[in-house]
Structure formats: C-alpha cells, structure tokens
Amino acid sequence: MKVKAKPNTTIPCYHCGEDVKDTQHYIEDKFFCCKGCQTVYEIINKSDLCSYYDLESNPGITQKQEIRKGKFDFLDDESIIEKLTHFKDDIHQHVIFYLPQMHCSSCIWILEHLIKIDGGIIKSQVNFIKREVAIIYDYKQTSLKKIAEALTLIGYEPHISLNDANVNKIKKYDTTKIVKLGIAGFCFGNIMMLSFPEYFSFGNIEDSKLKTWFSYLNLLLSLPVFLYSASEFFISGYKGLRQKFLNIDAPIALAVLITFSRSVYEILSHTGAGYLDSMSGIVFFMLIGRYFQNRTYQRISFDRDFTSYFPLGVSLIHSNNIEKQISVADLKVGDRIKIHNDEIIPADAILFMGKATIDYSFVTGESIPIEKSIGEIVYAGGKQTSGAIELEVVKQVSQSYLTQLWNNETFNEDKEEVRVSFIHQVSRYFTYILFSIAFLSATYWMLNDSSKVWNAVTSILIVACPCALLLSSTFTNGNMIRILNKYMFFVKNASVIEKMADIDTIVFDKTGTITEQGKSEIIFQGSEMSQEQAQLIRSLANQSNHPLSKSVISYMPFSKSLNVKNYKEFKGYGSSALINNHLIKMGSSEFVLRKDSDYLNSGSRIYISIDDEFVGYFLVKNAYRKSLVDIVSSLCSQFDLKILSGDNDSEEKYLKSVFGNNSEMLFNQKPQDKLNFIKHLQHNNKKVLMIGDGLNDAGALKQSNIGIAISDNTNNFSPACDAILSGESFSLLKELIYYCKKEKTIIFSSFVVSILYNIIGLYFAVQGDLSPVIAAILMPVSSISIVLLTTGLSSFYEVKLRKEKLIKVNIDSDNYQ
C-alpha cells in the first residue's frame, strides 16, 4: 500500500514553475512556491524587468535554498579580483561569470539588462553556448561582490572555481583562420566574376587587351590565396612527408602548386587564362569546412582538470573565531576552515566540529553520502550535505587525495593505438594511382608527341586532384559537427565522428550517468497511513540531516512539525523519538525490527515503527534517466553493453532487468579499476565507447577509444574527454551514435561523384587535348557539387534525429502532465 497522495494543486509558481504547496506567498494574483521566488519577483518588478516573464512561461530558478550571507566575501580580496579580471582601466573593469542556471531566452534577456538591477554595470553580454555572461562595470560605483550577490538574488549564482584564478584571463583570440578564410573568399569571388567573360565566350574574347587585363587581375588576386590562405596545406603536407607519412594535405598542396604554376605560365605566355578560379575556390571551400570543424573545440573545454571543480574561496577561522574569506590556493596545513552546506571540501582535513555527511559521488561514484565523526579524516572533493562543519587542514590543496588522483600517471598515459583516418589512407592510394596515370601518359606522349607532355601531365594533376576527397570529408564533418551541436552533443574533433563507426562495446558509468544527479525515487510499502501517522513520521525525519531522512521528508505530505522529545540518533542504524506520547523509530531492519533484512538488493530501505508496531518501509532508489530502458533495448542488439560503477551493488537486480542478465556489471570500482577494465577490453580487440561523468571516470574516459562525458550543468567540471553530451540529450544517444555512423556513407557517396568527374576529366587530359575552358569549368563545378551533396546528405540524415527528438519531447510532456 502507498501513503495517501499529496494534495494536488494546479497552481505553479509564477517565477520558477514548481508546484505551490503553501499559498501564503503571493502578490496580487501571482503565487510563489517560497519566499525566495517572491523576493526575486519583487526585485525584477522593482527594476521594471517584468518582460522577463513574457518571453518564457515560469522561466526562473527555484529559490527554496537560501544563499548564505557572506558567501562572496572573498570577492573583496584585491588579489582574487585581479585574477578574475579580464581588463581594467581607470574606470572600467571586465569580468566573465559562468552561470550554469542559464537555460532559455528569458535568461538571456534579463542577464543582458543587469544595468537596471545594478546601476554600476555598464554592459552585460551573454554567451549562451558557454553559459557565460561578460560584464563591464564601473568599479567606483559597484563591486565584484555586489554583482555576484545581485546575480544570486535573481537566481543566477555564478560558479567561481579555482581554475578561474589559475588560467590566463587575457587571451588573444586567434583570428588567423578567419582572416585566411576572408581573403580566400574575397579573391575567389572576384576571380570568378572576372572569369565569366572567358567562360561565356569559350575562350574567344574579341578584345585581346581586355582578356589580358582580366588575366593579370586574376593573377594578382590569386597571390594572397596561394601565398597566405593555402599556406597551412603546404606546412601540413611538408610535416607529414618529414615523418614519412603521406597525409591528405600533401597531394592537395601539390595540386594547388601545379594549378598555380600552370596558370602563371599560361597567363605570362599568353597561351591561356589559367585555372586560378579553381585554385582559389578549392582553398576557400576547404577553409570553410575546417572552420566549422574547429569552432566547437574553441567554444567548449574538453580538457578540464580538478581545479574547475574546486571553489575559489573558503572561510578561514582565526584564533578569535572570526571568519575570513581567503583563496583556496592560500590554504596551509593547520588552518581551521568552515565548510557550509552544499560546499566542496577543498583539501584533506580532520573533522573538528559539527556533523559531517559527505557526498563523494563525483569522486568515487558512491551514491549514498558517508557520515564522519569528529577526529576522522575528510578527503578533498566531497560535498558537505548536512549543515556547517569545521575542519583542520592536514594537507595542502596540491597534496590532497583528489589532486593526487587527478595527477596519477596512468590517467595521463597516451593511448597505445594511433589511428590513421581512412581519408588519409584513401588519399594515399588515390595519389599513387594519379601519379601512375600521369607517368604513363607522359611516357606515351614522350614517345609519340613530346609537345603534349607538359599539357597532359599538368592537366591530369589539375583535373584529378584529390581536392574532392578533402572537400567531402571536410564539409561532411563540419556540417555534422554543426548539427550535433544543435542536439547538445559536442565532439572534440572530426576523428571522433569517424571512430564512432568502429565502436562495438559501450560501457556506462552508473551514478550521474544513467541516473539523474540529485534525484531519487521513493516508494512506500505497508499499510495505509493515517494523517496523524504521516505527521509523526515527518516530524521525526525533520530532526535528522541524513540524506535518506530528507528523501522521506520530500515524499511525505506537508504538515506542521510536532514537539519532539528524547530524540536519539544511532550512527549507521537509525533514529528514534517520543512524539505525542508515541515512540517512533525509523532506520534499518536491525534497528526497527531487531532482525536482519532478507530482501534482495533493490535500493535503500527505511523501516518505520510506531509504538513498536511495524508500519511499513520506504524504498529509496536512484532516479534513472528517462528513456534508459528504450535506449538499452535499442542498443543491445548491436553493441556489447556493460556497467562500470564506483557505487555499491544495491540496484544490480534492477539493472539486470534493464540491461539483461548477460551484461557484465562491476560495482565498487575505484578509478584505477575502471581504467584497467577498459584496457582489458581493448586487449581483447574491443572498440570501446565509455560514458561517464565524474572524476573517477577520468582515466577510463581517456583510455577508451571514445570517451563521452555527461554534463548536467551542475558545476563547471567534466572530465577530459572526446565529447560532451548534455544530460537533456541522453535520450537521443542511440540516434546520435547512428547519425555519426552515417559519416562514411556520406563521404563515400561524394567519392563516387568525384570519381565520375575525374574519369571524364582524365579521359580528355591523357589525350593532351583538354580545353582550358572545360578544365576551368569542370573543377569548380566538381567542388561545388561535392559541397552541396555532403551538406544535403548530412542534413537529410538529420531528419530522423529531429523526428526522434520531437517524439521524445512529446512523450516526456505527456508523462509530466
């Protein structure tokens, strides 16, 4: 039996959308779930920013958790301000804050109108992809601390980590690629325009002076393309040859060189107009594709370290019990620090005062927080979940357990396998065949008509250059990366898409990967409780800070707490108290029933008795991500699925029902164990895709053929990886994998088109009779066809992905309603 349902309400909080359980917080006809949301509305209304609520329905973030006073005192420290500042002059100061709460157009609107909330702010600009807001302010009118507090008051608490102070904040943006692309595009467009008379007259322009003038203009415009824009192909090809490796850029560079050289010869000797439009077009299109490929890596950080997880400031307690905010980097052994609720422990320390319940899920994968007693050591990286505690530092930040774990040499080993892209392999054979045809053609014409040797060889190298190979791969990958970004799947580079086709094994972490962070599912089993019994149980649960007690409170109907007497808590067992002359017990089977539990592992159980009479138990389980069952069922037929978790095996039975009894599942795995397991799979010739989220997954993610980090924007940290997948898009995992597998299909399709062009061109080229005009038309038409084909096919295969997203959104919406 279940507890009576909570009172249903159709009133959503006007600010954040959560259900309003108590209607005491309201302004006119607007109801709020808590005092915090009401306060935020009052601030927004006072600042004349209520359009915030017009753009999206209930766009705000819940404010039920109050912000601790003095939390941003460390931002008064000049040394910390200097580290966070991007630019400063006599009046202005520039800073960038990471705001993980940012999620919709209303967020962008209000964050770009911060000037109405704090008059010292001059300008604020949002980067939605990176969840950042760049703020320019007058530091004589306001301060960094006041800005952080203002953001927090409206629901956008900035995440400020130790990494923000360690990196060089003033980064010069590399505009080289954009400049090269711009020059190539400008020159290509003008050369094409000046070449139209040559095309339309089939090379027979009546005014010879006009033809000569256009040819020289084309030559002049082609020089910056050849000398500057195309330089990276020459450099890359040269480096490859030095390593005795023929990469795709080497034949491209040769084709550009031959095309430019022959064009110069024809123009100066007045024997033709050359192929400068083709050369500049090829360079331009290839630079566009590479720009799209590199853009994601520049915007998303794939190589974060533990400093992105650590807070920047910490409360130091002086001998006179006065608290002062200092930088975490300044902590010394022997310092007394105060860690407040939901704050990260920055250094290994001994518990000095207070009750510690530490959540190590990010470090070890263990989902249940660990209780610590005074005198016990508390390791860095854990999150305190039960009020404020005082600690004495025993190791500096640089020597802490978390730092040593991150710096473990095995986590920084390079993968033994060095994979060469199939594009380079295909281009190598293509180049060998091309050179062979050119050599045979030269030999034939040398014996029969030596005047045609130069024309035949250069025509072959120009018409059948491997540019189409690079164009097809560059544009396919560039467009696919752009499309994947739309679905919140950010890949590090194009090789990740290519390697996805070889994957045969998928390894899932559990906590935070296939489960939803910070959420749990709770079910009551027992006789139906009366309202009085529910109130008694909730009153007892309110006395404890244990996470399982908090789960019970969140499940029980809201009621006024009763007077509690003789409250006792027994570590590891449970708690009891006398409430309204009733003895209430809550905890383990041994504590409540005085006997061992005989149930199979399926979650954590909280047994309840009233006056020594068993009432029932609460079953608390991890809340698994939506569509997990559908994802597993769709992947299991083509991939070998495995679970690799640092958590205990309490839910193995359920996971077996989802993944199947044949799926290998390992629990209580340390970071080194996970790394070794991935190596073991690879030793057995498995191509492994690892999906994880925590620090304990870092080594395994790096060792895997592809490592994907799940990010729910709960903090500014995700382990070094090959790709980042938003938790919101986890339901699209199967479709995203299959979409990546279409890369080779698209590229090979474009190869077929390219080969057809090459066959036609080579047919005329080997005869030494290829018309310059035909060659000049054939090359850009071939390039443009490849661009259109790859872009069209990659967009065509996106249709299924888009349909699946819409279906899942509708299903989730129906489930919510």
Side-chain angles (χ1 to χ4, degrees), residues 673-690:
D673 298 330
K674 292 189 174 187
L675 177 65
N676 292 338
F677 181 73
I678 299 298
K679 285 184 175 181
H680 171 72
L681 291 175
Q682 292 174 329
H683 182 71
N684 292 327
N685 298 318
K686 296 289 187 180
K687 304 297 183 184
V688 183
L689 166 62
M690 170 73 185

Side-chain angles (χ1 to χ4, degrees), residues 340-351:
H340 298 267
N341 191 51
D342 276 341
E343 288 187 348
I344 305 297
I345 298 166
D348 295 350
I350 292 176
L351 181 60

Side-chain angles (χ1 to χ4, degrees), residues 485-500:
N485 288 356
K486 287 168 53 178
Y487 297 92
M488 306 301 286
F489 184 47
F490 306 97
V491 297
K492 188 174 185 177
N493 49 47
S495 66
V496 175
I497 299 177
E498 183 181 327
K499 288 189 290 186
M500 198 77 81

Side-chain angles (χ1 to χ4, degrees), residues 194-209:
L194 294 172
S195 299
F196 282 152
E198 185 79 14
Y199 294 159
F200 296 144
S201 65
F202 290 94
N204 298 315
I205 298 178
E206 295 183 1
D207 190 338
S208 60
K209 291 183 178 180

